[in-house]
Amino acid sequence: MTYTPRAVAGMLGIAPTTLRTWDQRYGLGPSIRTDGGHRRYEDADVEVLRRMVVLTAQGVAAAAAAVLARQKPVAARSGPRTPIDPAEAVVAQQGFLAAAKRLDEPMMSGLASKLLADHGVVSAWEDVFVPALVDLGELVVSSGQGVEIEHLASGSVLHALRGIPRASSPGVLSALLSCAPDEQHWLPLEALGAALSEEGCMWGNLGARVPAEALLDAVDRLRPTVVLVWAHRTDLALRVPLEDLSARSDAVIAVAGSGWQGVPLPSAVRRPKSLQEAIDLVLERVR
């Protein structure tokens, strides 16, 4: 595929004059010129420009950003990850939200993947992804518009989370994750699963809107060490058969999400209050 300067400027959410300036000053121009002298950008050119937009949005000077933008992205780190500095988290949120409002899915996915590689799931999720997604959700509620922005942003985070390699060695399923019946907000479960992958734990996710009987059947068949059920509304949480789960399984039963606030729980049921607490609960049982 090749693209005109106007098309590229629209894709990246920048002015055509900015595109010309970057070409003239930093050599971030098109690879192709037609016989008639028209400029045409290839996919590789657009990716370099995407990185330029991200870097300048993060406050990097344009000249330095141009050098960095030409460099190929590095592979995800496998070593220790550092928490995100609060100031960096704010900049990352702003960059992600700006890309979301342009419906720029490649840029959102790239930002999300880099945050996960540099800082790990817990810090990226709690310090950047959740605040950004909450902002987009509030935009939808207040204006009645932007559902497509919220959905695309959630999809980009999901894509990045699923890029974390999962444990493949055979063994006991460390955790089985599930939504309450008719619960559709299942992205937090993917975040927990990705964090468990970082710890080398095997896990499964039944996803959204899991009927009570289906959850009980899955627990019977898979025999996980921990079962965690997510609900963001109380009426949905009340439909989860916690007593039956406890009676039919030796697994530790846990619940998470705002829907469980104020709901009386059986004494054996655990309720982690954060992503890190949920991870620690699983690791406590399997290690």
Side-chain angles (χ1 to χ4, degrees):
M1 292 287 292
T2 61
Y3 310 92
T4 65
R6 182 180 295 276
V8 172
M11 290 163 59
L12 299 178
I14 59 177
T17 53
T18 300
L19 206 56
R20 284 197 296 272
T21 299
W22 288 353
D23 184 7
Q24 294 165 359
R25 292 186 182 178
Y26 311 117
L28 301 182
S31 299
I32 298 174
R33 290 187 185 272
T34 66
D35 293 339
H38 299 294
R39 299 179 301 159
R40 294 292 183 267
Y41 291 82
E42 295 184 304
D43 286 334
D45 302 326
V46 175
E47 287 308 308
V48 171
L49 291 167
R50 286 188 192 281
R51 293 196 287 274
M52 182 71 171
V53 172
V54 171
L55 290 163
T56 54
Q58 293 176 342
V60 180
V67 174
L68 296 171
R70 290 192 187 92
Q71 299 175 1
K72 293 183 178 180
V74 297
R77 291 189 206 167
S78 58
R81 297 170 177 87
T82 58
I84 302 176
D85 177 85
E88 182 186 351
V90 171
V91 171
Q93 290 173 36
Q94 292 172 344
F96 187 85
L97 287 170
K101 291 172 183 177
R102 292 195 305 271
L103 298 179
D104 192 338
E105 186 174 20
M107 187 177 293
M108 284 188 286
S109 295
L111 283 168
S113 296
K114 187 176 189 308
L115 286 167
L116 291 170
D118 290 347
H119 303 290
V121 173
V122 173
S123 190
W125 176 256
E126 294 184 343
D127 297 332
V128 179
F129 299 155
V130 169
L133 292 172
V134 167
D135 279 356
L136 293 175
E138 290 176 349
L139 173 65
V140 173
V141 172
S142 63
S143 68
Q145 298 177 329
V147 172
E148 74 285 2
I149 298 174
E150 183 183 23
H151 286 186
L152 203 61
S154 296
S156 299
V157 172
L158 174 62
H159 177 77
L161 290 170
R162 288 185 172 175
I164 297 175
R166 296 181 63 162
S168 57
S169 58
V172 175
L173 190 67
S174 299
L176 180 64
L177 315 178
S178 174
C179 283
D182 288 326
E183 171 63 71
Q184 300 186 65
H185 295 77
W186 51 279
L187 189 58
L189 295 182
E190 289 287 340
L192 174 55
L196 292 175
S197 292
E198 287 184 330
E199 298 290 345
C201 294
M202 293 184 63
W203 58 279
N205 184 2
L206 298 179
R209 306 183 68 175
V210 181
E213 281 303 318
L215 174 58
L216 291 169
D217 289 345
V219 171
D220 285 343
R221 296 174 62 183
L222 297 173
R223 298 292 178 184
T225 302
V226 175
V227 177
L228 184 140
V229 185
W230 171 270
H232 91 289
R233 281 176 22 202
T234 301
D235 60 316
L236 303 180
L238 292 173
R239 297 173 60 186
V240 178
L242 293 178
E243 296 285 0
D244 289 343
L245 281 171
S246 297
R248 289 171 56 170
S249 173
D250 293 330
V252 172
I253 309 301
V255 297
S258 58
W260 295 99
Q261 188 169 357
V263 174
L265 300 175
S267 58
V269 173
R270 307 278 293 274
R271 188 187 169 210
K273 301 296 196 306
S274 67
L275 177 57
Q276 187 60 60
E277 283 190 21
I279 297 164
D280 292 341
L281 170 62
V282 176
L283 296 181
E284 168 192 316
R285 302 301 301 179
V286 300
R287 293 180 178 173

